[in-house]
Amino acid sequence: MTVKKIRNIDIVEFKKRPCVRHNLDEFYQPPSSKDLRDLISIMHWNYADVAKLVGVSLTSKGSSATVQRWCSPESSGDYRKIPFSAWRLLLAYADIIAVSSRQAQELL
């Protein structure tokens, strides 16, 4: 089995991070900006790709100020937390999590 590695980021190890769990899980931790940057790197995405996937605005230059804020260091005044729904959508697009109607019923 081949494991995808980008910049020493192992996708198998990434899947074990607390930010991959559902927010109803007691061990869930919101994703850090590093978690998001790592996911972007693993998937070979750029900010415009992320913006298109989650439906946030793009600048005229083809980037996204919103995604840039999500990726800024937490110590930065520009930093903003990525919404849980956008994070989960990115994890689903990356095939890190699966989403099904059965899982929805279990959560409800």
Side-chain angles (χ1 to χ4, degrees):
M1 176 180 166
T2 303
V3 175
K4 189 176 187 180
K5 275 193 174 186
I6 306 296
R7 295 184 192 169
N8 297 321
I9 301 167
D10 183 321
I11 193 144
V12 173
E13 289 301 315
F14 185 88
K15 289 179 180 184
K16 296 177 185 176
R17 294 183 185 187
C19 62
V20 175
R21 296 173 177 269
H22 194 279
N23 68 347
L24 298 177
D25 183 306
E26 65 179 305
F27 298 108
Y28 170 76
Q29 291 178 10
S32 66
S33 60
K34 182 180 182 325
D35 290 323
L36 178 55
R37 290 190 309 269
D38 287 349
L39 179 62
I40 290 169
S41 178
I42 288 167
M43 297 307 299
H44 301 279
W45 291 335
N46 58 42
Y47 290 177
D49 296 332
V50 172
K52 290 173 190 174
L53 290 171
V54 300
V56 297
S57 62
L58 288 167
T59 66
S60 60
K61 295 181 180 181
S63 189
S64 173
T66 301
V67 177
Q68 185 174 2
R69 287 182 188 107
W70 294 343
C71 290
S72 295
E74 283 82 352
S75 59
S76 165
D78 290 335
Y79 172 74
R80 300 292 180 273
K81 290 182 182 180
I82 184 171
F84 178 72
S85 56
W87 176 245
R88 294 296 283 185
L89 188 56
L90 290 174
L91 293 175
Y93 280 131
D95 288 329
I96 291 173
I97 62 165
V99 180
S100 70
S101 60
R102 187 174 133 236
Q103 289 171 324
Q105 289 298 82
E106 290 172 3
L107 290 171
L108 299 176

